[in-house]
Amino acid sequence: MQLVPKTKLTPEFDPILEKIILDVGGMKCAGCVNAVERQLTQHPGVKSACVNLATEVAVVESETGAVDADALAQRLTAVGFPTQPRKPNGTVADEISTLPDPAERQRKEMRSSFRQLAIAAILLLLSGSGHFGNLGSSVLPVLNNIWFHCGLATVALLIPGRPILVDGWLGWRRNAPNMNTLVGLGTLTAYVASLVALLFPKMGWECFFDEPVMMLGFILLGRTLEQQARGRAAAAFRKLLALQPQVAQLIANPEKGGMGSSSVEIPAEQVRVGEWVQVLPGDKIPVDGEVVVGKTTVDESMLTGEAVPVIKQPGDMVTGGTLNQSGAIAIQTTRTGNDTTLARIVALVEAAQTRKAPVQKLADTVAGYFTYGVLTASVLTFVFWYFFGTHIWADVSMSGGMEMMSHATHEAPHSSLLISLKLAIAVMVVACPCALGLATPTAILVGTAMGAERGLLIKGGDVLEKVHKLNTVVFDKTGTLTTGNPIVTDCLLIEEMGSKELHSPLPSTDAINRVSAYSLIQLAAAVESGTHHPLAKAIQQEAQQQQLSIPEAVEFHTEPGLGVSAVVEGKVVLLGNWDWLSWHGIAINETAQQVAQNLATDGKTVVCVAVGGALAGLIAVSDPLRPDAQSTVDKLRQMGLRVMLLSGDRQEAANAIAKQLGLDSADVIAGVPPAKKAAAIQALQNEGLGTRDWGLGKILPNPQSSIPNPQSVVAMVGDGINDAPALSQADVGIALHSGTDVAMETAEIVLMRDRLNDVVESIQLSRATFNKIRQNLFWAFAYNTVGIPLAAGVLFPSLGFVLNPSGAAALMAFSSVSVVTNSILLRRLAHHP
């Protein structure tokens, strides 16, 4: 049976499921989010939908070709949420191209909010001046006229309040009541009750036309502040979007004139792979590519967060969106459009903002039924106070603008109606699902955008929650803790091992006996020419430094994590570890084993070389630690995390590296090939955690506890290439950017700066962001837990205090503003989690 190579499928390139991104307008609270998600998931072919209130984006997963994005957009638009789909090139569908883009829509909404707020503020000032008594009437007598206040309330409802009333009615009609439904019912009820009192004065009712004016004023003030705060929260992400170049200077005939030939300006998205593009000093590089002509310095801070420019010359790779600073260059395109590094970063950051933390599920569940619950509470409040409360506590007078004379209940039964009505209105207005809906997305929006600024790509709220629970961090050795640029330090022939010093310097070509007319290094370099492993690179570099010719090798075979073989001049040459040679039936004498063990004890990786079925010699390779490896490990342990080392190298070599880092041998897992690293991570996840020895960072058994120990929550840090299965298996996969493609697809946190210290920074940022989410959710739940009973009059019997409708509106507006503002404060606290 012939084996067909399998290609790893990722969410970005899954042939079964596709993602549709929609820009959704008209969402005001968590109830709206729930309504939009329900509309999307009910559409045939849709597998899942996730909606973000802060960014007004919906991500829909469906079977490929089963769902029309335009049909989804039209469905949402029809039920009151103006929507447009994003096409692969970033444009909208032709048939709905009349809709403004999201940024323009937000600007228009902001301008409209300011206009409505200005009108509401004037009406609020005029309405409130009536409370100044003689002072107001002496300046403008009409301020004490009840018909004037009736007119103010009418204008407030018709102009600044009209969008709220209309949206609230539409929400009610489509069986998805939202915050505007509650506010609209409250203001209309107060207005109608006051109008009845004005038209039928004999009923003896009180007119409170100032209440709807003040309610609308406070609510509009809160929403305007909230919009501004949300704009600030999204500023970093908009900055990331703005980095995407729009145009490119295409060199039409590079084979004729090179960079000096004429160029033509075209949209960057129209550049094709393989074409040449000219980039002048001061221009953004429009696509990913390789420098073919010229030399310059490039500002890559948008990608890595590093302010120091990087020198680029022919053969170097450049990234779209980075800034060319000093010289004119020509680049040959390797990636365009949505395949560029920047475009994929933008897509990852945006997708991260729609991935919800599990802690948000409770908030979403509550928000889905919130409006119905509030309406029920409002009705129960009215029933209780009208039929029971005002009779039980008839001698208590109300404060906060609601007066009740000591025997009003008996002398004027209508007072019970007004009192009960005002309390019911306050309950409707004080409740705020907005805070619940904004708690998670605003914090994730700020956190992920901040991470992108610093070269830390965190893929979503669920990742943040898992990072918060981490207790173990496992590092791959080669290319992660080490530089990934090893060098050959020793080259020993099997005949020399008994007579030469075990750690002699690297012998010269003349000092090495010939094997089939070629030196050991030459043979090894020939075999390694068929692989791209860091050890292969070290051996080939050594051969080049000695200016040795490389013989031709054929019939390459590689076994990841074990070794490689090839045929050189008719003889089979094997390079690899003990297991690789043993599997091929090659005997290893005790002297060679002792030499290899001594080399490994010094932290060197030993490569065995066999020629024609017999061991020919050993090559030792050393891969130095990264400069920041020690500080990274120390900081992680100070944060209370267990730090471990996972390596395919021999136990002695792995222990030597661990010793340099101050790790205990119990925290070293060695001799694990890439294919089995995922199983090693899984075994570690299933391991119980006992008493933690913080000094050594090891786990000790806890014999005094009969309670099963909790499982390890493991983060795996790797280079994103050979470690892909382990990164996927770990609770949190953290990949250095050296393996860009696989890292972005497999890991949940990608470190774009390829700097080990960023492991610490990413965990700190994740913890700080998740703490903000918990603070926001606590405030949102606590606010409603306290606010609703307060508005229902729970303190009225004991303290005579009640929250009037306008005060309830002010508190409601404040809750949303406070949640968003708390998220923005993450920018100050991220460095001190």
Side-chain angles (χ1 to χ4, degrees):
M1 182 178 69
Q2 185 178 4
L3 296 178
V4 179
K6 295 176 65 178
T7 302
K8 178 178 173 59
L9 301 179
T10 65
E12 286 79 5
F13 303 99
D14 199 317
I16 299 175
L17 295 180
E18 68 174 349
K19 287 186 178 180
I20 299 173
I21 300 178
L22 304 171
D23 293 306
V24 184
M27 294 188 295
K28 303 299 181 184
C29 64
C32 298
V33 171
N34 189 272
V36 171
E37 287 185 346
R38 187 169 63 250
Q39 288 288 335
L40 292 173
T41 53
Q42 289 175 353
H43 192 85
V46 172
K47 297 297 183 182
S48 66
C50 191
V51 181
N52 188 300
L53 176 61
T55 57
E56 297 183 312
V57 168
V59 177
V60 179
E61 281 195 347
S62 66
E63 295 178 1
T64 303
V67 176
D68 183 10
D70 298 333
L72 283 178
Q74 290 167 3
R75 178 177 183 141
L76 291 180
T77 302
V79 294
F81 300 104
T83 303
Q84 60 189 24
R86 292 191 191 172
K87 294 300 179 182
N89 60 0
T91 63
V92 298
D94 295 336
E95 58 268 28
I96 58 168
S97 59
T98 54
L99 290 175
D101 63 52
E104 181 61 26
R105 188 184 71 239
Q106 288 177 358
R107 285 191 292 269
K108 288 184 177 179
E109 288 178 357
M110 201 69 217
R111 288 194 294 268
S112 176
S113 295
F114 275 118
R115 285 196 299 269
Q116 302 284 29
L117 179 61
I119 297 171
I122 295 171
L123 295 174
L124 181 61
L125 182 63
L126 293 173
S127 178
S129 61
H131 292 284
F132 293 113
N134 294 330
L135 179 61
S137 60
S138 62
V139 177
L140 195 62
V142 74
L143 293 178
N144 282 342
N145 188 310
I146 191 63
W147 287 97
F148 175 73
H149 287 276
C150 175
L152 292 177
T154 304
V155 173
L157 289 173
L158 293 178
I159 301 179
R162 184 175 178 276
I164 293 175
L165 297 176
V166 171
D167 185 71
W169 164 247
L170 290 175
W172 182 275
R173 192 178 66 177
R174 61 178 174 251
N175 197 30
N178 53 32
M179 191 63 232
N180 285 340
T181 305
L182 296 176
V183 174
L185 277 174
T187 53
L188 276 178
T189 304
Y191 177 79
V192 171
S194 300
L195 191 61
V196 170
L198 177 62
L199 297 177
F200 303 98
K202 291 184 178 180
M203 295 181 66
W205 285 13
E206 173 193 355
C207 291
F208 46 99
F209 285 113
D210 55 336
E211 291 291 353
V213 176
M214 285 192 284
M215 277 192 285
L216 290 172
F218 288 136
I219 287 167
L220 288 171
L221 174 62
R223 289 190 178 176
T224 303
L225 293 175
E226 177 194 319
Q227 276 185 303
Q228 283 189 309
R230 283 164 63 179
R232 288 196 297 272
F237 182 62
R238 290 201 305 270
K239 183 179 178 182
L240 191 63
L241 289 174
L243 290 172
Q244 294 180 300
Q246 301 301 312
V247 297
Q249 298 290 337
L250 181 67
I251 300 176
N253 298 301
E255 65 281 356
K256 293 183 178 180
M259 189 168 62
S261 63
S262 60
S263 62
V264 58
E265 185 175 280
I266 64 171
E269 64 188 29
Q270 293 182 9
V271 178
R272 298 291 176 259
V273 173
E275 293 181 331
W276 284 31
V277 175
Q278 178 177 283
V279 188
L280 300 176
D283 290 346
K284 286 181 183 177
I285 296 172
V287 292
D288 289 4
E290 178 183 348
V291 178
V292 288
V293 179
K295 183 177 179 181
T296 186
T297 55
V298 176
D299 179 2
E300 295 184 335
S301 59
M302 50 69 58
L303 182 69
T304 65
E306 296 288 352
V308 180
V310 180
I311 297 174
K312 299 290 183 180
Q313 51 194 356
D316 291 337
M317 303 303 295
V318 291
T319 303
T322 55
L323 183 64
N324 181 26
Q325 288 191 325
S326 58
I329 56 174
I331 63 174
Q332 187 171 20
T333 305
T334 56
R335 287 177 177 170
T336 64
N338 289 341
D339 291 332
T340 64
T341 302
L342 178 59
R344 299 180 72 185
I345 291 173
V346 170
L348 283 173
V349 173
E350 190 163 42
Q353 293 162 2
T354 59
R355 285 174 61 172
K356 297 179 181 178
V359 73
Q360 177 71 2
K361 292 180 181 178
L362 175 62
D364 289 344
T365 302
V366 171
Y369 303 98
F370 193 86
T371 306
Y372 295 106
V374 171
L375 290 173
T376 302
S378 179
V379 171
L380 292 176
T381 299
F382 177 84
V383 170
F384 173 79
W385 283 105
Y386 183 73
F387 291 104
F388 305 103
T390 52
H391 300 281
I392 297 172
W393 296 290
D395 57 337
V396 181
S397 62
M398 292 185 133
S399 62
M402 297 174 64
E403 298 179 358
M404 183 175 74
M405 295 178 291
S406 55
H407 298 288
T409 308
H410 301 286
E411 296 177 5
H414 52 264
S415 296
S416 299
L417 178 62
L418 286 179
I419 293 166
S420 305
L421 196 60
K422 285 190 175 182
L423 288 168
I425 292 171
V427 169
M428 274 192 288
V429 174
V430 78
C432 183
C434 302
L436 287 173
L438 291 167
T440 295
T442 52
I444 293 176
L445 177 63
V446 174
T448 54
M450 284 177 59
E453 282 183 335
R454 304 175 187 182
L456 314 173
L457 297 185
I458 302 169
K459 291 191 177 180
D462 53 337
V463 179
L464 297 173
E465 185 158 345
K466 287 187 286 187
V467 170
H468 193 78
K469 297 176 182 177
L470 282 180
N471 51 39
T472 305
V473 180
V474 179
F475 284 92
D476 171 57
K477 182 176 79 72
T478 304
T480 303
L481 283 173
T482 62
T483 61
N485 296 309
I487 57 173
V488 174
T489 58
D490 300 86
C491 183
L492 300 172
L493 289 173
I494 193 70
E495 293 85 355
E496 297 177 324
M497 292 182 186
S499 58
K500 295 181 68 67
E501 292 291 330
L502 295 182
H503 304 302
S504 60
L506 181 69
S508 66
T509 306
D510 295 334
I512 302 177
N513 295 329
R514 297 280 177 169
V515 181
S516 299
Y518 289 106
S519 71
L520 201 63
I521 285 290
Q522 285 174 291
L523 289 172
V527 176
E528 295 286 22
S529 64
T531 66
H532 298 285
H533 192 275
L535 297 182
K537 181 180 176 182
I539 292 172
Q540 289 177 315
Q541 284 181 341
E542 182 61 32
Q544 290 173 1
Q545 288 178 2
Q546 294 192 30
Q547 298 180 347
L548 302 176
S549 61
I550 308 298
E552 183 180 355
V554 295
E555 299 183 24
F556 294 97
H557 175 69
T558 301
E559 191 68 31
L562 293 175
V564 60
S565 67
V567 175
V568 182
E569 292 194 345
K571 289 189 177 182
V572 177
V573 180
L574 302 175
L575 267 71
N577 56 25
W578 297 134
D579 294 333
W580 177 243
L581 268 64
S582 298
W583 190 77
H584 284 83
I586 298 173
I588 303 168
N589 60 44
E590 293 183 3
T591 303
Q593 291 184 15
Q594 181 63 41
V595 172
Q597 186 173 355
N598 290 342
L599 292 170
T601 303
D602 289 342
K604 299 175 182 179
T605 300
V606 179
V607 179
C608 304
V609 183
V611 180
L615 182 65
L618 304 176
I619 297 175
V621 179
S622 176
D623 189 3
L625 284 173
R626 288 176 181 258
D628 54 352
Q630 183 68 65
S631 62
T632 299
V633 170
D634 291 343
K635 289 175 183 176
L636 290 173
R637 295 171 72 186
Q638 290 169 9
M639 293 165 63
L641 297 170
R642 179 189 186 188
V643 180
M644 300 186 69
L645 174 64
L646 178 62
S647 175
D649 215 337
R650 289 172 58 87
Q651 187 72 47
E652 296 86 354
N655 284 341
I657 294 294
K659 185 176 180 180
Q660 294 180 49
L661 296 171
L663 297 179
D664 191 86
S665 58
D667 291 328
V668 178
I669 307 174
V672 183
K676 295 183 179 180
K677 284 186 178 180
I681 295 295
Q682 185 177 21
L684 186 60
Q685 290 169 323
N686 295 331
E687 172 192 294
L689 295 180
T691 303
R692 187 178 297 276
D693 181 349
W694 302 112
L696 295 176
K698 56 182 181 177
I699 304 302
L700 303 178
N702 186 0
Q704 298 179 350
S705 176
S706 60
I707 302 174
N709 290 322
Q711 293 180 329
S712 299
V713 182
V714 180
M716 171 69 188
V717 185
D719 61 10
I721 303 174
N722 294 330
D723 303 312
L727 291 171
S728 181
Q729 174 62 42
D731 296 285
V732 179
I734 304 176
L736 300 174
H737 188 244
S738 54
T740 305
D741 291 342
V742 180
M744 285 190 175
E745 296 162 6
T746 307
E748 292 172 302
I749 298 177
V750 182
L751 311 180
M752 301 298 293
R753 291 185 286 198
D754 209 24
R755 198 175 66 180
L756 208 56
N757 267 330
D758 282 347
V759 173
V760 177
E761 189 168 347
S762 64
I763 293 176
Q764 289 176 337
L765 179 60
S766 298
R767 285 182 171 184
T769 305
F770 187 71
N771 285 337
K772 283 297 177 186
I773 292 174
R774 294 205 301 187
Q775 292 169 16
N776 289 346
L777 287 174
F778 172 79
W779 166 249
F781 279 112
Y783 166 81
N784 285 297
T785 302
V786 174
I788 292 176
L790 197 63
V794 70
L795 296 181
F796 167 50
S798 58
L799 301 178
F801 171 80
V802 71
L803 192 64
N804 61 25
S806 57
L811 275 180
M812 187 277 289
F814 174 72
S815 68
S816 298
V817 175
S818 62
V819 164
V820 180
T821 303
N822 188 45
S823 296
I824 294 173
L825 290 177
L826 179 63
R827 287 193 164 274
R828 295 184 180 180
L829 301 177
H831 292 292
H832 309 283

